[in-house]
Amino acid sequence: MKLSTVGYPRVGTLRELKFASEKYFRSEITTQELQVTAKNLRRVHWETQRNNGIDYIPSNDFSFYDNMLDTAVLLNIVPLRYRELQLSNIDTYFAMARGYQGEKGDVKALAMKKWFHTNYHYIVPEISDNTEISLKGTKLFDEFTEARQLGIQTKPVIIGAFTFLKLAKLVGNKSIDDVADRLVEAYVTILEKFDTLGAQWIQFDEPYLVHDLSLDDIRLFERLYQKILLKKSSIQVLLQTYFGDIRDCYREVCALDFDGIGLDFIEGNQSVDLIQKHGFPLDKILFAGVINGKNIWRNCYTKTYDLIVKLQQNCSNMVLGTSCSLQHVPYTLKHETALSEDYKKHFAFAEEKLTELEELKVIVESAQPFETEAFINNKELFNQNRNCTNENVQKRVAAIRESDFTRLPAFTAREAIQKKEFHFPLYPTTTIGSFPQTTDVKANRTAYKKGTISSEEYVLFNKNKIAQCIELQEQMGLDVLVHGEYERNDMVEYFGECLNGYLFTEKAWVQSYGTRCVKPPVVWGDISREKPMTVEWSVYAQSLTKKPMKGMLTGPVTILNWSFPREDISLKECAYQIALAIRDEVLDLEANGIRIIQVDEAALREKLPLRKSDWRHEYLDWAIPAFRLVHSGVKPETQIHTHMCYSEFTDIIPAIDSMDADVITFETSRSNLSILDSLQEHHFQTEVGPGVYDIHSARIPSVEEIKYTLDCMLEKIPAEKLWVNPDCGLKTRGVPETEQSLTNMVQAVKQLRNKQ
Ligand code: GLN
Ligand code: ZN
């Protein structure tokens, strides 16, 4: 039995690549010095895998920024505006990734998008009418040769032609059909070149295949690969899929001349069925993704062994591997010194997953698999009580009734009650919650965490900030105020730290994009709230003003989506646990005089399943109820707001409306208001605050500009439903631009009101 990984993390166990790149961006080190760091990291990653018995070790999974961008550069897909800067190769690359502003010009970065439903982001390549697709770059070959010089034979990895075409943006008049042939030629050249270099395998990553595919998609895929594979001689080609199953094209994939097919048995619900139903071609090797590349829990060998045995009934040739690249999990548990062994033994990060593969191999090859040490130890681990259950929480979840998901009275009646309750002027103004997290705010938090200031000092500092923030908002004339969120580092981490059932790591970083990494908290056990988490801050803030103060919470779906979830209970169950904890907070805020409460669901959209056919039953059917559970207990007079970061929810508008919030604010500035048409079309009933300006840039919008935006909005949204606010929290902005922008916003609204 041989072992394979789809890809390995690349930023370094201690984020060496991040720090080196950032130094390079600040011109503190040279290109050569940056290359040395990169080369070292690649060596360590290859050697780690070799030392753990991996047979198919990937190369070219390393990247200075992103693999889609690498592929674009390899294929000469570099837009003219970046070439014209006449920078070195690596600086042109970074200009595409991050934009360039300097003596040679001023060019924005290419667009960045979420990589399927992970928290990783890729750079969107642009193909224009005069793009000359051809094999230009050498990174793919250089890294293969580099590994061979270290005595390691690798399997070069590259994004496949189909996924590349589906994700790239065609910016001119040409269609996919017009560019497909040139792309095919480039891939053929890659195969030829590797043949000469003596590579035995090449891996084409084709995750796009796990979507719902149209007939045209399938035809395109076939057409591309019939041509690419036609000229293949001795090199063997692995078609690697991940993030789901390939039910729409399984038979077509099997019929093509691939030598290996990589399937995901973790997220691919139907992968086993497909093999059992249609068989697996005798002349191909199945690369079975049995180790989860996206979550950090230990693999359960009993289950995996059963799976392998089942698969062996249909395929005689099998390689064991990861379900997707390990870049989505942290490197190693070795650096987690604060977590006790009792916790750590239940986790496997990238390096520990390599050990799991090795152990599975021993088990599978043994004449007495159940007697092997690895099997016995693993079984014992899974039989142990993890000490993570809280009976009260479980009882509470079990006791949830259908009626708990419904707030009464219904929306229209509430809306009328709230209009009387609050007497807001037309177009009420507000903000999304956070105010600038200036250096002093961060320093105060760090000092408190380090123990250099007392908790009284910490609180006092924040209370002063809150007071200033309220004074400012009153001066500007906003209608619904916020306390500014000075006590929070991050909207999920803050609640994770307050809730029972969460664990935190020290070094478990995962790349989010480029040099940015995140450290998701871990859901260890049943989630409960020990005591109020935000009430003190909100009540203090409300005591300083007569205007309504918005309580500010993060919703259950977002908290869960930005964590590593448990695997022993369903996401639904976990979301309901968190929802009950947040519900208690909502009710406490209400009982303490907070009349407006915002529950942020910034990440609701992003974990929608890749297949539309799975949206309802796998996700929305629990995600929306979880949100409803949070607020269904409040009085009709209490106004519930929610906020979402992306407005790309055109396709789930009815679901968003059925969250049954009273007001929703969301980002619009970057998607040119097209969502408003869809809201109108669907008779969206929730009151809406589409962001009137973009907080992601330091630019100050003028009064005129905001008035114009509001006029456009009023063509689609009834005046009595329109709220006015920036498009997201102001945490990352500076103070002067925030004051000026908000002042202009309120000014624009005043002029509009006077006109009426
Ligand atoms: N209330 C949060 C804030 O204002 C929302 C952040 C977000 O949507 N990402 O920062
Ligand atoms: Zn937001």
Side-chain angles (χ1 to χ4, degrees), residues 508-744:
W509 298 98
V510 178
Q511 187 181 21
S512 169
Y513 60 88
T515 57
R516 189 171 153 71
C517 300
V518 294
K519 214 158 42 92
V522 181
V523 185
W524 167 263
D526 291 339
I527 304 283
S528 62
R529 189 193 69 145
E530 203 167 276
K531 53 178 196 293
M533 306 180 280
T534 63
V535 175
E536 192 192 333
W537 300 117
S538 291
V539 168
Y540 171 71
Q542 183 66 84
S543 77
L544 302 177
T545 176
K546 292 210 160 55
K547 295 217 165 148
M549 173 62 52
K550 259 199 291 195
M552 193 59 61
L553 306 172
T554 303
V557 185
T558 298
I559 293 183
L560 183 60
N561 282 352
W562 283 345
S563 312
F564 284 119
R566 285 166 74 173
E567 291 184 339
D568 56 339
I569 63 172
S570 65
L571 291 176
K572 168 179 170 177
E573 174 133 17
C574 196
Y576 284 7
Q577 290 182 357
I578 303 173
L580 289 173
I582 304 293
R583 176 185 171 98
D584 292 347
E585 187 74 13
V586 165
L587 294 174
D588 275 348
L589 284 168
E590 182 184 59
N592 283 281
I594 304 299
R595 298 148 70 210
I596 302 186
I597 301 165
Q598 177 172 314
V599 183
D600 290 327
E601 281 293 15
L604 188 123
R605 171 73 178 77
E606 76 183 40
K607 281 281 180 334
L608 262 187
L610 296 175
R611 286 178 187 277
K612 214 166 182 168
S613 43
D614 293 338
W615 282 7
R616 285 231 79 87
H617 66 280
E618 279 192 13
Y619 186 71
L620 294 172
D621 281 354
W622 58 261
I624 304 297
F627 182 87
R628 294 171 64 111
L629 190 56
V630 165
H631 69 83
S632 63
V634 299
K635 297 185 283 193
E637 297 87 336
T638 301
Q639 191 167 68
I640 297 293
H641 289 218
T642 187
H643 165 73
M644 281 182 195
C645 280
Y646 305 96
S647 53
E648 280 177 22
F649 48 73
T650 319
D651 36 12
I652 50 165
I653 283 176
I656 304 285
D657 218 10
S658 71
M659 289 164 77
D660 203 22
D662 299 306
V663 180
I664 178 169
T665 57
F666 52 86
E667 179 192 306
T668 27
S669 25
R670 287 198 289 188
S671 52
N672 61 42
L673 304 181
S674 59
I675 182 153
L676 303 183
D677 291 315
S678 320
L679 294 180
Q680 197 179 28
E681 226 169 82
H682 285 88
H683 308 288
F684 199 68
Q685 64 168 2
T686 315
E687 295 186 9
V688 287
V692 296
Y693 75 88
D694 178 9
I695 62 94
H696 304 86
S697 111
R699 213 180 142 263
I700 296 164
S702 69
V703 175
E704 282 312 309
E705 200 179 317
I706 299 178
K707 267 197 335 211
Y708 175 77
T709 308
L710 286 170
D711 280 336
C712 296
M713 288 176 177
L714 281 166
E715 280 173 21
K716 316 275 178 185
I717 296 171
E720 61 287 358
K721 283 205 188 278
L722 184 65
W723 284 68
V724 179
N725 44 265
D727 71 350
C728 195
L730 301 162
K731 169 163 90 182
T732 55
R733 291 273 59 89
V735 177
E737 80 235 26
T738 298
E739 285 188 31
Q740 195 55 58
S741 302
L742 289 178
T743 305
N744 289 356

Side-chain angles (χ1 to χ4, degrees), residues 23 156 233 304-305 333 368 575 581 730 749:
K23 275 190 192 151
S233 55
T304 306
Y305 182 78
L333 282 156
Q368 274 155 333
L730 301 162
V749 170

Side-chain angles (χ1 to χ4, degrees), residues 97 183 224 366 439 574 732 752:
L183 195 72
L224 292 170
S366 163
T439 345
C574 196
T732 55
L752 199 65

Side-chain angles (χ1 to χ4, degrees), residues 373-444:
E373 200 188 327
F375 191 90
I376 293 169
N377 289 342
N378 184 271
K379 193 163 175 188
E380 197 193 298
L381 182 76
F382 276 84
N383 282 340
Q384 269 170 27
N385 184 348
R386 267 203 305 118
N387 212 353
C388 64
T389 48
N390 177 330
E391 223 172 288
N392 288 336
V393 173
Q394 299 197 346
K395 275 196 199 139
R396 251 188 107 183
V397 171
I400 297 173
R401 288 160 304 157
E402 217 27 62
S403 57
D404 294 329
F405 295 112
T406 306
R407 182 175 174 199
L408 291 173
F411 180 85
T412 325
R414 274 177 358 235
E415 196 179 28
I417 293 171
Q418 290 169 15
K419 291 258 182 239
K420 281 201 199 116
E421 169 79 15
F422 292 103
H423 285 296
F424 288 130
L426 213 47
Y427 324 124
T429 53
T430 189
T431 60
I432 308 302
S434 58
F435 265 67
Q437 289 250 337
T438 39
T439 345
D440 56 334
V441 174
K442 289 184 195 156
N444 180 54

